[in-house]
Amino acid sequence: MRKFTSIVLLILFNWLFHQTALAQNEKTVVVPLPSVDDFSKGNDGWSFGLGFGIEYESAYEGSDEFGFEVQPAGAVQWRNGNDTFYWAGEALGWRGLRSDTWLLEAAIAFDEGREEGDSDDGYLNGLGDQEEGTEIVLQARRALDDNWRNWLISRIVTGDNGNLGLFGIGHRFGVQNDGTGSDLSFVVVFHDSEYANNGFGITAAQSIASGLDETQLSGGLRSFALDYTYRYYLNNNWQIFGEAFYERFSSEIENSPIARSNFEAEVSVGFIYLF
């Protein structure tokens, strides 16, 4: 009897494992990249994910202060075939798959800016608070092989605070086609002088108020960056995600008095419930 029960349990376990593998290999997302939020589960129409993430990150760009912060996560999405319109946090946008190899995206987003109080140690005192800015984000990914194992990425950000562009390459780990697993991208980032000075420049008035040296930056190379994303379904509704981000600044930014560190970093983990 025990032997029979063991055989039944073994068959049941193998069946469940096989069904899980089939579910993971079924393509239910527009592109199988963990770094692209897709809550549609293969269905057209509305989808909604809501959750939160715990982030450990730099207090501001160039800061050597780190801290924890709880942030909302998720999005409202409407899918029609290979096109998805979404509202995620402070971004409203569209993404679409073309010819199975091009993922195009356009969004309007808001940059929260920087406040003097972001530095607990007072390193931003006298620099004033930066106002929120509106940004237009245009992005394209080009698959280099079948099933989006490797891809090229480019992004242009233009808005109230200047212009930024990045170019790089990405790789997806795992065999899942449902948007779970993990991926890693490496990019080179450029900015114009307006964007550079908005983050790391110091005007004459700010210099007098803060005691920091007046600093004017030129455009050009900003940084090199790595971004790792992980996503996994705990069950049909609950999803766990994680991200690790590292950005190494160029020598010009390092020389700014605002940059007390030559890098920015962030690690986050969170949960999303899919309705």
Side-chain angles (χ1 to χ4, degrees):
M1 183 64 181
R2 291 182 178 177
K3 183 176 181 181
F4 175 78
T5 302
S6 299
I7 293 175
V8 172
L9 290 174
L10 181 60
I11 293 174
L12 180 61
F13 174 80
N14 287 332
W15 181 83
L16 289 173
F17 179 81
H18 180 67
Q19 294 302 313
T20 301
L22 287 177
Q24 290 178 336
N25 286 323
E26 183 183 356
K27 187 176 183 294
T28 58
V29 292
V30 175
V31 290
L33 300 180
S35 55
V36 178
D37 288 338
D38 190 336
F39 304 143
S40 65
K41 299 181 181 178
N43 302 314
D44 284 353
W46 292 100
S47 58
F48 180 47
L50 180 63
F52 70 93
I54 301 175
E55 302 175 352
Y56 182 73
E57 60 181 348
S58 305
Y60 55 90
E61 291 184 338
S63 173
D64 58 358
E65 303 169 63
F66 287 81
F68 289 96
E69 186 175 3
V70 178
Q71 292 279 4
V76 178
Q77 301 176 339
W78 186 81
R79 177 175 173 179
N80 181 24
N82 287 328
D83 295 284
T84 301
F85 297 88
Y86 62 87
W87 173 38
E90 296 184 325
L92 181 66
W94 159 87
R95 70 172 66 98
L97 181 66
R98 297 295 180 267
S99 303
D100 292 327
T101 57
W102 284 96
L103 181 65
L104 308 177
E105 186 166 355
I108 298 176
F110 297 94
D111 182 3
E112 295 181 353
R114 186 187 65 208
E115 299 180 356
E116 288 189 2
D118 289 342
S119 173
D120 292 335
D121 295 332
Y123 295 129
L124 298 177
N125 290 349
L127 297 180
D129 296 339
Q130 295 177 344
E131 297 181 357
E132 285 191 353
T134 304
E135 299 176 335
I136 296 177
V137 182
L138 304 175
Q139 180 170 272
R141 303 195 199 200
R142 173 66 163 85
L144 297 177
D145 46 36
D146 294 337
N147 212 21
W148 287 84
R149 304 295 300 176
N150 302 281
W151 68 91
L152 298 175
I153 183 172
S154 61
R155 182 186 305 153
I156 296 175
V157 180
T158 181
D160 298 334
N161 298 323
N163 303 291
L164 176 144
L166 64 81
F167 308 91
I169 190 168
H171 175 75
R172 180 171 67 91
F173 302 93
V175 297
Q176 300 95 323
N177 287 322
D178 61 352
T180 63
S182 62
D183 62 35
L184 176 70
S185 60
F186 170 78
V187 298
V188 182
V189 188
F190 301 88
H191 56 195
D192 63 10
S193 59
E194 182 180 0
Y195 200 99
N197 285 294
N198 185 72
F200 297 97
I202 300 174
T203 66
Q206 289 175 324
S207 176
I208 295 173
S210 66
L212 301 175
D213 293 337
E214 183 178 352
T215 303
Q216 292 293 315
L217 283 72
S218 59
L221 177 65
R222 171 188 172 89
S223 61
F224 300 94
L226 286 169
D227 193 4
Y228 175 81
T229 303
Y230 173 81
R231 198 175 299 274
Y232 178 76
Y233 278 103
L234 297 174
N235 54 41
N236 193 47
N237 295 101
W238 282 101
Q239 185 183 99
I240 184 173
F241 68 90
E243 183 176 8
F245 174 79
Y246 175 83
E247 183 178 16
R248 179 65 160 80
F249 295 126
S250 67
S251 57
E252 184 183 36
I253 292 180
E254 287 183 47
N255 293 331
S256 168
I258 295 176
R260 301 184 59 83
S261 176
N262 58 14
F263 71 92
E264 181 183 3
E266 175 186 329
V267 177
S268 63
V269 63
F271 297 87
I272 296 176
Y273 184 84
L274 278 61
F275 292 85

